[in-house]
Amino acid sequence: MPRFPWLWSQGAVLLVPVLTLVALVGLAPVLAPLPRLAQLAIFTVIIVVAVLAFLTVQRHWGGTARLHRLAPVRAAWAAQHGWETAPNGAPDQDEVALALPRGWRADRAMLRLWREGPAGQSRIETWKLRAVPGSTRGTAYREVVSVPARTGPGRFAVTNRATIDPLLGPPAWVDGAREGWDAARTADDGHRQENSSGAVGGGAAGNPEEGYGAEAGARAAGASAESAPDWTRRVRDLVMAHQDTLLTVAVGAGRVVVCALDDPRPETAERRLALADAVAAAVGGEAEA
């Protein structure tokens, strides 16, 4: 199984129209001396071949084909490790609200695995994402691991490196009003990580300019940064020490959710489960993977 099947699928599908455009532009001056009817016939043949090639590539290497190949691999891993498979369906909306950046919606949760533990249900699944109406961005996939945790009323999010990927930016709740915990710079604490991002917030929001994209602490409204939960730095350290593709870890609503870029291999999911469990333990949870 390739490490980045969704990126490879998107690249393979895009390759056909790109090559078709190059061929049409390149042949235009070559075919110029021919009669108009002959030019149209040749261009029509190229376009028909391109359409057939596009459908073939999409059928064998597109997102749906990848899902069909990944499903038995995930199911075999689940059978070996005491997990259960589940049918595709709508993702948990609390988790979507906790982890997903603004401008995206999760259509379906696929390749779903679950396991019941003493603290609740842990899940591994693939979210199929679409941009909100009016956006020109296409379909995307993200790998999600979720475990139960005693998170309390606040929210916290951190990414393992700086990124311009809109799907791995701050969760949607980071923007908006300052309620409950609030993001605050802690550049003077000797613990700043230039390639980490973090934000904390209450039930509604944090502050992306002061929190996400900078070393962030937390303070109750009108209080000092020292009132931040004492686990925030520990969680950030765990995320920064984790070797993986780009990912965001979100804590809140009784869950720890790891939302990662591609790589749905079971062995990668195992490492993300270990990270989620460590974060759950740091915030006082009792997750079991």
Side-chain angles (χ1 to χ4, degrees):
M1 185 186 302
R3 186 181 183 191
F4 303 116
W6 310 124
L7 291 177
W8 281 112
S9 295
Q10 292 169 340
V13 171
L14 287 174
L15 185 63
V16 175
V18 169
L19 292 178
T20 302
L21 180 61
V22 170
L24 292 174
V25 173
L27 285 174
V30 176
L31 300 178
L34 297 179
R36 183 71 173 176
L37 188 60
Q39 294 181 36
L40 290 176
I42 293 174
F43 284 141
T44 300
V45 169
I46 292 174
I47 292 173
V48 170
V49 170
V51 169
L52 293 176
F54 179 83
L55 295 175
T56 301
V57 169
Q58 192 171 48
R59 179 179 178 181
H60 292 283
W61 294 283
T64 301
R66 294 290 191 186
L67 286 170
H68 289 160
R69 293 189 183 100
L70 286 166
V73 176
R74 282 245 179 120
W77 180 89
Q80 295 171 359
H81 293 79
W83 287 66
E84 302 289 337
T85 59
N88 298 342
D92 184 281
Q93 292 306 304
D94 288 339
E95 294 180 0
V96 171
L98 178 66
L100 204 60
R102 188 178 301 279
W104 293 90
R105 54 189 174 89
D107 272 0
R108 293 172 66 79
M110 304 171 296
L111 303 174
R112 307 177 82 179
L113 306 178
W114 64 274
R115 179 178 179 180
E116 199 70 34
Q121 190 178 97
S122 298
R123 290 190 291 273
I124 302 170
E125 54 194 26
T126 298
W127 286 357
K128 183 178 181 179
L129 306 179
R130 295 187 186 277
V132 296
S135 173
T136 58
R137 292 176 292 190
T139 301
Y141 298 89
R142 285 299 178 267
E143 302 307 320
V144 177
V145 166
S146 172
V147 301
R150 294 200 299 265
T151 62
R155 298 180 182 185
F156 177 79
V158 60
T159 184
N160 62 344
R161 65 193 73 181
T163 174
I164 60 174
D165 187 335
L167 274 168
L168 287 168
W173 57 263
V174 172
D175 292 342
R178 298 187 176 191
E179 297 180 3
W181 297 341
D182 194 7
R185 293 186 184 274
T186 55
D188 58 348
D189 65 2
H191 190 70
R192 190 179 184 90
Q193 297 273 6
E194 291 300 334
N195 61 343
S196 71
S197 300
V200 291
N207 183 340
E209 294 183 356
E210 293 184 350
Y212 211 91
E215 185 70 7
R219 53 182 169 83
S224 66
E226 282 71 19
S227 62
D230 56 10
W231 47 259
T232 56
R233 181 176 297 180
R234 172 61 178 157
V235 169
R236 187 176 292 105
D237 289 343
L238 288 169
V239 174
M240 292 305 300
H242 182 75
Q243 300 299 314
D244 203 337
T245 59
L246 297 175
L247 57 79
T248 296
V249 175
V251 179
R255 309 291 295 178
V256 172
V257 179
V258 179
C259 184
L261 174 71
D262 220 321
D263 199 354
R265 298 176 298 174
E267 57 268 31
T268 304
E270 286 186 88
R271 293 194 296 270
R272 291 170 182 162
L273 277 169
L275 171 63
D277 283 335
V279 172
V283 304
E286 297 178 353
E288 177 181 332

